[in-house]
Coordinates of all heavy atoms in Angstrom, one line a residue:
R1372 N -45.9 -33.0 -193.3 CA -45.5 -33.8 -192.1 C -44.7 -35.0 -192.4 O -44.9 -35.8 -193.4 CB -46.8 -34.3 -191.4 CG -46.7 -34.9 -190.0 CD -48.0 -35.2 -189.4 NE -48.9 -35.9 -190.3 CZ -50.0 -36.4 -189.9 NH1 -50.4 -36.3 -188.7 NH2 -50.8 -37.0 -190.8
F1373 N -43.6 -35.2 -191.6 CA -42.6 -36.3 -191.8 C -41.6 -36.1 -192.9 O -40.6 -36.7 -192.9 CB -43.3 -37.7 -192.0 CG -44.4 -38.0 -191.0 CD1 -45.6 -38.4 -191.5 CD2 -44.1 -37.9 -189.6 CE1 -46.6 -38.7 -190.5 CE2 -45.1 -38.2 -188.7 CZ -46.4 -38.6 -189.2
D1374 N -41.8 -35.1 -193.8 CA -40.9 -34.9 -194.9 C -40.3 -33.5 -194.9 O -39.8 -33.0 -195.9 CB -41.6 -35.1 -196.2 CG -41.9 -36.6 -196.5 OD1 -41.0 -37.4 -196.3 OD2 -43.0 -36.9 -196.9
E1375 N -40.4 -32.8 -193.7 CA -39.8 -31.5 -193.6 C -38.4 -31.4 -194.0 O -37.9 -30.5 -194.8 CB -40.0 -30.9 -192.2 CG -41.5 -30.7 -191.8 CD -42.1 -32.0 -191.1 OE1 -41.5 -33.1 -191.2 OE2 -43.1 -31.8 -190.5
A1376 N -37.5 -32.3 -193.4 CA -36.1 -32.3 -193.7 C -35.8 -32.5 -195.1 O -34.9 -31.8 -195.7 CB -35.4 -33.3 -192.8
V1377 N -36.4 -33.5 -195.8 CA -36.2 -33.7 -197.2 C -36.6 -32.5 -198.0 O -35.8 -32.1 -198.9 CB -37.0 -35.0 -197.6 CG1 -36.9 -35.2 -199.2 CG2 -36.5 -36.2 -196.9
N1378 N -37.7 -31.9 -197.7 CA -38.1 -30.8 -198.5 C -37.2 -29.6 -198.3 O -36.9 -28.8 -199.3 CB -39.5 -30.4 -198.1 CG -40.6 -31.3 -198.6 OD1 -40.3 -32.3 -199.3 ND2 -41.9 -31.0 -198.4
V1379 N -36.7 -29.4 -197.1 CA -35.7 -28.3 -196.9 C -34.4 -28.5 -197.7 O -33.9 -27.6 -198.4 CB -35.4 -28.1 -195.4 CG1 -34.2 -27.2 -195.2 CG2 -36.6 -27.6 -194.7
T1380 N -34.0 -29.8 -197.7 CA -32.7 -30.1 -198.5 C -32.9 -29.8 -200.0 O -32.1 -29.2 -200.6 CB -32.4 -31.6 -198.3 OG1 -32.1 -31.8 -196.9 CG2 -31.1 -31.9 -199.0
W1381 N -34.0 -30.3 -200.5 CA -34.3 -30.0 -202.0 C -34.5 -28.6 -202.2 O -34.1 -28.1 -203.3 CB -35.5 -30.9 -202.4 CG -35.1 -32.3 -202.8 CD1 -35.6 -33.4 -202.2 CD2 -34.1 -32.7 -203.8 NE1 -35.0 -34.5 -202.8 CE2 -34.1 -34.1 -203.8 CE3 -33.3 -32.0 -204.7 CZ2 -33.3 -34.8 -204.6 CZ3 -32.5 -32.8 -205.5 CH2 -32.5 -34.1 -205.5
A1382 N -35.2 -27.8 -201.4 CA -35.4 -26.4 -201.6 C -34.1 -25.7 -201.7 O -33.9 -24.8 -202.6 CB -36.2 -25.8 -200.4
K1383 N -33.1 -26.0 -200.9 CA -31.8 -25.4 -200.9 C -31.1 -25.7 -202.3 O -30.5 -24.8 -202.9 CB -30.9 -25.8 -199.7 CG -31.4 -25.2 -198.4 CD -30.5 -25.7 -197.3 CE -31.0 -25.2 -195.9 NZ -30.2 -25.7 -194.8
A1384 N -31.1 -27.0 -202.7 CA -30.5 -27.4 -203.9 C -31.1 -26.7 -205.1 O -30.4 -26.3 -206.0 CB -30.6 -28.9 -204.0
L1385 N -32.5 -26.6 -205.1 CA -33.1 -26.0 -206.2 C -32.8 -24.5 -206.3 O -32.6 -24.0 -207.4 CB -34.7 -26.1 -206.0 CG -35.2 -27.6 -206.2 CD1 -36.6 -27.7 -205.7 CD2 -35.2 -27.9 -207.7
E1386 N -32.7 -23.8 -205.1 CA -32.4 -22.4 -205.1 C -31.0 -22.2 -205.7 O -30.7 -21.3 -206.4 CB -32.5 -21.9 -203.7 CG -33.9 -21.6 -203.3 CD -34.0 -20.9 -201.9 OE1 -33.1 -21.1 -201.1 OE2 -35.0 -20.2 -201.7
R1387 N -30.0 -23.1 -205.3 CA -28.7 -22.9 -205.8 C -28.6 -23.1 -207.3 O -27.7 -22.5 -207.9 CB -27.8 -24.0 -205.1 CG -27.4 -23.7 -203.7 CD -26.3 -24.6 -203.2 NE -26.6 -26.0 -203.2 CZ -27.1 -26.6 -202.1 NH1 -27.4 -26.0 -201.0 NH2 -27.4 -27.9 -202.2
A1388 N -29.5 -23.9 -207.9 CA -29.5 -24.1 -209.3 C -30.2 -22.9 -210.1 O -30.2 -22.9 -211.3 CB -30.2 -25.4 -209.6
G1389 N -30.8 -22.0 -209.3 CA -31.5 -20.9 -210.0 C -33.0 -21.0 -210.1 O -33.6 -20.3 -210.8
V1390 N -33.5 -22.0 -209.4 CA -35.0 -22.2 -209.4 C -35.6 -21.2 -208.5 O -35.1 -20.9 -207.4 CB -35.3 -23.6 -208.9 CG1 -36.9 -23.8 -208.8 CG2 -34.8 -24.7 -209.9
H1391 N -36.7 -20.6 -208.9 CA -37.5 -19.7 -208.1 C -38.3 -20.6 -207.1 O -39.3 -21.2 -207.5 CB -38.4 -18.8 -208.9 CG -39.3 -17.9 -208.1 ND1 -40.4 -17.2 -208.6 CD2 -39.2 -17.4 -206.8 CE1 -40.9 -16.5 -207.7 NE2 -40.2 -16.6 -206.6
V1392 N -38.0 -20.6 -205.9 CA -38.6 -21.5 -204.9 C -39.6 -20.6 -204.1 O -39.2 -19.6 -203.5 CB -37.6 -22.2 -204.0 CG1 -38.3 -23.0 -202.9 CG2 -36.7 -23.1 -204.8
V1393 N -40.8 -21.1 -204.0 CA -41.8 -20.4 -203.2 C -42.2 -21.3 -202.0 O -42.4 -22.5 -202.2 CB -43.0 -20.0 -204.0 CG1 -44.1 -19.3 -203.2 CG2 -42.6 -19.1 -205.2
Y1394 N -42.3 -20.8 -200.8 CA -42.5 -21.6 -199.6 C -44.0 -21.5 -199.1 O -44.2 -21.4 -197.9 CB -41.5 -21.2 -198.5 CG -40.1 -21.5 -198.9 CD1 -39.3 -20.5 -199.4 CD2 -39.6 -22.8 -198.8 CE1 -38.0 -20.7 -199.7 CE2 -38.3 -23.0 -199.2 CZ -37.5 -22.0 -199.6 OH -36.2 -22.3 -200.0
G1395 N -44.9 -21.5 -200.0 CA -46.3 -21.6 -199.6 C -46.9 -20.2 -199.3 O -46.3 -19.2 -199.5
M1396 N -48.1 -20.3 -198.7 CA -48.9 -19.1 -198.4 C -49.2 -19.1 -196.9 O -49.3 -20.2 -196.3 CB -50.2 -19.1 -199.1 CG -50.1 -19.2 -200.7 SD -51.7 -19.1 -201.5 CE -52.1 -17.4 -201.2
A1397 N -49.3 -17.9 -196.3 CA -49.5 -17.8 -194.9 C -50.9 -18.4 -194.5 O -51.9 -18.1 -195.1 CB -49.5 -16.4 -194.5
G1398 N -50.9 -19.4 -193.6 CA -52.1 -20.0 -193.1 C -52.7 -21.1 -194.0 O -53.7 -21.7 -193.6
L1399 N -52.1 -21.4 -195.1 CA -52.6 -22.4 -196.0 C -51.4 -23.4 -196.4 O -50.3 -22.9 -196.8 CB -53.2 -21.8 -197.3 CG -54.4 -21.0 -197.1 CD1 -54.8 -20.3 -198.5 CD2 -55.6 -21.8 -196.6
K1400 N -51.7 -24.7 -196.3 CA -50.8 -25.7 -196.9 C -51.1 -25.8 -198.4 O -52.2 -25.9 -198.8 CB -51.0 -27.0 -196.2 CG -50.1 -27.2 -195.0 CD -50.2 -28.7 -194.5 CE -49.3 -29.0 -193.4 NZ -49.3 -30.4 -193.0
I1401 N -50.0 -26.0 -199.2 CA -50.2 -26.2 -200.6 C -50.2 -27.8 -200.8 O -49.1 -28.4 -200.8 CB -49.1 -25.5 -201.4 CG1 -49.2 -24.0 -201.2 CG2 -49.3 -25.9 -202.9 CD1 -48.2 -23.2 -201.9
H1402 N -51.3 -28.4 -200.9 CA -51.4 -29.8 -201.0 C -51.8 -30.3 -202.4 O -51.8 -31.5 -202.6 CB -52.5 -30.3 -200.0 CG -52.6 -31.7 -199.8 ND1 -53.7 -32.5 -200.1 CD2 -51.7 -32.6 -199.2 CE1 -53.4 -33.8 -199.8 NE2 -52.2 -33.8 -199.2
S1403 N -52.0 -29.4 -203.3 CA -52.4 -29.7 -204.7 C -51.2 -30.3 -205.4 O -50.0 -30.1 -205.0 CB -52.9 -28.5 -205.4 OG -51.9 -27.5 -205.4
K1404 N -51.5 -31.1 -206.4 CA -50.4 -31.8 -207.2 C -50.6 -31.4 -208.6 O -51.3 -31.9 -209.4 CB -50.6 -33.4 -207.1 CG -51.2 -33.9 -205.8 CD -50.4 -33.7 -204.6 CE -51.0 -34.3 -203.3 NZ -50.3 -34.0 -202.1
C1405 N -49.8 -30.4 -209.0 CA -49.9 -29.8 -210.3 C -48.5 -29.5 -210.9 O -47.6 -29.1 -210.2 CB -50.7 -28.5 -210.3 SG -52.3 -28.6 -209.6
V1406 N -48.4 -29.7 -212.3 CA -47.3 -29.3 -213.0 C -47.8 -28.5 -214.3 O -48.8 -29.0 -214.9 CB -46.4 -30.5 -213.5 CG1 -45.2 -30.0 -214.3 CG2 -46.0 -31.3 -212.4
L1407 N -47.1 -27.5 -214.6 CA -47.4 -26.7 -215.8 C -46.1 -26.5 -216.6 O -45.1 -26.1 -216.1 CB -48.0 -25.3 -215.5 CG -48.5 -24.5 -216.7 CD1 -49.7 -25.1 -217.3 CD2 -48.7 -23.0 -216.2
V1408 N -46.2 -26.9 -217.9 CA -45.0 -26.8 -218.8 C -45.4 -25.9 -220.0 O -46.5 -26.1 -220.6 CB -44.6 -28.2 -219.3 CG1 -43.5 -28.0 -220.4 CG2 -44.1 -29.1 -218.2
V1409 N -44.6 -24.9 -220.2 CA -44.9 -23.9 -221.3 C -43.9 -24.3 -222.4 O -42.7 -24.3 -222.2 CB -44.7 -22.5 -220.9 CG1 -45.0 -21.5 -222.0 CG2 -45.6 -22.1 -219.7
R1410 N -44.4 -24.6 -223.6 CA -43.6 -25.1 -224.7 C -43.9 -24.3 -226.0 O -45.1 -24.0 -226.3 CB -43.9 -26.6 -224.9 CG -42.9 -27.3 -225.9 CD -43.2 -28.8 -225.9 NE -42.2 -29.5 -226.7 CZ -42.4 -29.9 -227.9 NH1 -43.5 -29.5 -228.6 NH2 -41.5 -30.6 -228.5
N1411 N -42.9 -24.0 -226.8 CA -43.0 -23.4 -228.1 C -43.2 -24.4 -229.2 O -42.2 -24.9 -229.8 CB -41.8 -22.5 -228.3 CG -42.0 -21.6 -229.6 OD1 -43.0 -21.5 -230.1 ND2 -40.9 -21.0 -230.0
D1412 N -44.4 -24.8 -229.4 CA -44.7 -25.8 -230.5 C -44.7 -25.1 -231.9 O -44.6 -23.9 -232.0 CB -46.1 -26.4 -230.2 CG -46.1 -27.3 -229.0 OD1 -45.1 -27.7 -228.6 OD2 -47.2 -27.6 -228.5
D1413 N -44.8 -25.9 -232.9 CA -44.7 -25.4 -234.3 C -45.8 -24.4 -234.5 O -45.6 -23.5 -235.4 CB -44.8 -26.6 -235.3 CG -43.5 -27.5 -235.3 OD1 -42.5 -26.9 -234.9 OD2 -43.7 -28.6 -235.6
D1414 N -47.0 -24.6 -233.9 CA -48.1 -23.7 -234.2 C -48.3 -22.7 -233.1 O -49.3 -22.0 -233.0 CB -49.4 -24.5 -234.3 CG -49.7 -25.4 -233.1 OD1 -48.7 -25.6 -232.3 OD2 -50.8 -26.0 -233.0
G1415 N -47.3 -22.5 -232.3 CA -47.3 -21.4 -231.2 C -47.1 -21.9 -229.8 O -46.9 -23.1 -229.6
I1416 N -47.2 -21.0 -228.9 CA -47.0 -21.4 -227.5 C -48.2 -22.2 -227.0 O -49.3 -21.9 -227.2 CB -46.9 -20.1 -226.6 CG1 -45.6 -19.3 -227.0 CG2 -46.8 -20.5 -225.1 CD1 -44.3 -20.0 -226.8

C-alpha cells in the first residue's frame, strides 16, 4: 500500500537487468523481510 508505483518501476528495471522477478503468491501478500546470499567460501558453499 502506497508504494505500488515505486515497486512497479523497480520491478521493470530489475527484469531488464536479468533479475528473476516474482510477483507474489495468489491470495497472499509477501510481507517477510529476508535476504539469502549463496557464497563459495574457502571451505565450500
Side-chain angles (χ1 to χ4, degrees):
R1372 191 173 48 168
F1373 308 128
D1374 287 315
E1375 295 90 344
V1377 172
N1378 285 4
V1379 168
T1380 299
W1381 276 120
K1383 292 179 179 178
L1385 290 163
E1386 284 186 332
R1387 286 195 296 268
V1390 174
H1391 178 198
V1392 178
V1393 180
Y1394 297 100
M1396 304 182 71
L1399 294 174
K1400 269 192 178 183
I1401 299 177
H1402 191 246
S1403 56
K1404 329 294 184 184
C1405 302
V1406 181
L1407 184 70
V1408 173
V1409 181
R1410 189 174 188 266
N1411 186 12
D1412 290 343
D1413 290 335
D1414 56 348
I1416 298 294

